[in-house]
Amino acid sequence: MRPGFEGFLKAKGYPGNADDVVQAWETTYLHESNVDSLLGRARTPFEIVRRVTLSNLFFKLKIDHTKDDIEQLVTVNATPTLFPDVKEPLNRLKDTGKYKMSVLSNGDLQSLDNAVNGLGIPVDRAISAEQAGYYKPHLGVYKHAIKELGVPGEQVLHVAAHAWDIRGARAAGMAGAYINRYEIPYVDSDGSQPELEVLGLAALAESLAKT
């Protein structure tokens, strides 16, 4: 999402780094989604969480903005793209016929479906935290996914680039594969480690193709 943010921040006269702003936003909406899961009320749609937290971050950074600015950023100028190692390795795994692949996301179901289809992610289905009524890493999200997949948790390998996401999946009985793109050590307070750790999806596909 960096290019879209770079143009916006430059136009607003903000001197900071766009990557830092995007990462701060991701941290902010992860925190807010966890608060939302703890409140014991109906889940706030993720698209609302994204917009509210981005506006709050801009207020914190003293970046002048309007609701229209936020809407333009999240719907047009700063939409996500895929890492270059996504499609080919996933297609390779799919072609083996040994794996069913699904996306499990905190995104709302409609937005998730649009992203999967729009980006051409080669998976069999998309499962949203919206269907569970919580946000990851709440156990209810992973347990809902296991139910949707219709297989025992130990037959599910949850692949993620964040240790907190792997920890949530493993607590629900899944196996975990940590995509360590940024060479950040995996840390769990109980000292446990994921079943697999690789630097990217190409290495993941190579490892799983051997099993």
Side-chain angles (χ1 to χ4, degrees):
M1 294 182 281
R2 177 178 50 79
F5 270 82
E6 278 185 338
F8 174 81
L9 296 174
K10 183 177 180 180
K12 294 295 184 179
Y14 180 74
N17 183 278
D19 282 332
D20 292 340
V21 174
V22 172
Q23 289 175 19
W25 178 33
E26 291 174 341
T27 299
T28 303
Y29 67 62
L30 174 62
H31 175 268
E32 182 59 30
S33 65
N34 275 275
V35 171
D36 195 83
S37 291
L38 291 170
L39 292 179
R41 65 187 188 193
R43 174 185 176 275
T44 304
F46 190 52
E47 290 303 320
I48 292 177
V49 171
R50 293 177 77 228
R51 286 160 172 78
V52 168
T53 54
L54 183 56
S55 179
N56 287 344
L57 176 63
F58 284 166
F59 279 122
K60 181 178 180 180
L61 297 176
K62 309 300 182 186
I63 299 171
D64 183 50
H65 66 284
T66 65
K67 286 185 177 181
D68 287 342
D69 288 332
I70 298 294
E71 198 64 24
Q72 182 75 8
L73 266 176
V74 301
T75 61
V76 180
N77 293 343
T79 55
T81 56
L82 296 178
F83 282 97
D85 69 339
V86 172
K87 290 187 179 180
E88 191 279 330
L90 292 186
N91 276 318
R92 192 162 13 118
L93 281 175
K94 200 170 186 179
D95 289 344
T96 66
K98 295 190 294 184
Y99 300 100
K100 294 289 185 181
M101 294 184 293
S102 302
V103 170
L104 175 61
S105 171
N106 270 338
D108 301 327
L109 188 57
Q110 186 60 59
S111 300
L112 177 57
D113 283 339
N114 292 342
V116 170
N117 293 325
L119 295 171
I121 304 173
V123 293
D124 299 294
R125 66 184 300 180
I127 303 172
S128 167
E130 178 184 0
Q131 298 163 298
Y134 306 100
Y135 284 102
K136 295 188 296 180
H138 193 286
L139 284 180
V141 178
Y142 305 98
K143 289 180 178 179
H144 172 77
I146 291 170
K147 181 180 178 181
E148 286 284 309
L149 294 170
V151 296
E154 58 267 23
Q155 293 183 20
V156 180
L157 179 66
H158 185 74
V159 181
H162 303 288
W164 59 263
D165 200 357
I166 298 292
R167 291 172 65 188
R170 296 183 79 239
M174 299 179 181
Y178 178 43
I179 305 297
N180 191 358
R181 293 187 183 278
Y182 307 108
E183 299 186 32
I184 300 173
Y186 181 95
V187 177
D188 195 330
S189 56
D190 67 0
S192 65
Q193 293 293 305
E195 282 69 25
L196 183 63
E197 180 174 331
V198 291
L199 295 178
L201 289 177
L204 176 74
E206 182 179 350
S207 177
L208 293 182
K210 297 175 182 177
T211 62

